[in-house]
Amino acid sequence: MEIEAVSNLRRQLKEAEDERRKAAQYGLHILEQQNEMQNQLDQLRSELSTKTEKFEQDKYSLQREVELKNRMLESLSFECDALKQQQNMQLDKQREQLERIHGQEISQLKDKVWDAMNC
């Protein structure tokens, strides 16, 4: 009976050692996976940070470009308005000049008609 009890205890001891070995291996495997996942997480955070910084730089550049184009548009708009005003003034002067010439020609034609009628 003692041999059987010793044999039983040895078997239980071997099973317990095997279970501890398996638990240790599982623990190491889980630790390795955790380290690998942490490395991936760190890499993804780094990539995210880099991309976020680039997007911020692009955003800043685009804002500056929009501001510059708005200023250019405003300047061109003022220039266009000034040219329109200048052209309207020239048109008004030409209209007045044509009206004056037209009036003089009508007056001359009336004088010729009057002279022709009085002869």
Side-chain angles (χ1 to χ4, degrees), residues 6-23:
V6 169
S7 184
N8 241 354
L9 287 173
R10 283 186 180 162
R11 184 181 48 78
Q12 287 177 354
L13 179 62
K14 185 176 185 315
E15 286 176 3
E17 287 175 355
D18 287 346
E19 287 179 15
R20 276 193 300 243
R21 191 174 301 117
K22 284 182 184 178

Side-chain angles (χ1 to χ4, degrees), residues 10-67:
R10 283 186 180 162
R11 184 181 48 78
Q12 287 177 354
L13 179 62
K14 185 176 185 315
E15 286 176 3
E17 287 175 355
D18 287 346
E19 287 179 15
R20 276 193 300 243
R21 191 174 301 117
K22 284 182 184 178
Q25 288 174 346
Y26 290 146
L28 284 174
H29 183 69
I30 289 173
L31 186 60
E32 288 171 357
Q33 285 182 333
Q34 184 180 8
N35 285 337
E36 185 178 320
M37 291 174 72
Q38 184 64 46
N39 289 340
Q40 289 175 349
L41 179 62
D42 291 344
Q43 182 180 356
L44 289 172
R45 281 182 178 161
S46 176
E47 289 174 13
L48 178 63
S49 176
T50 300
K51 287 181 180 181
T52 300
E53 185 177 324
K54 179 166 181 356
F55 287 142
E56 287 296 322
Q57 289 172 351
D58 289 348
K59 177 184 167 187
Y60 179 80
S61 296
L62 289 172
Q63 285 174 334
R64 295 295 145 259
E65 187 176 341
V66 166
E67 288 174 6

Side-chain angles (χ1 to χ4, degrees), residues 91-107:
L91 185 61
D92 288 343
K93 283 182 182 179
Q94 288 175 347
R95 196 175 289 133
E96 288 173 8
Q97 189 177 23
L98 284 175
E99 286 174 0
R100 197 170 36 254
I101 291 171
H102 184 260
Q104 289 172 353
E105 288 176 350
I106 288 179
S107 178

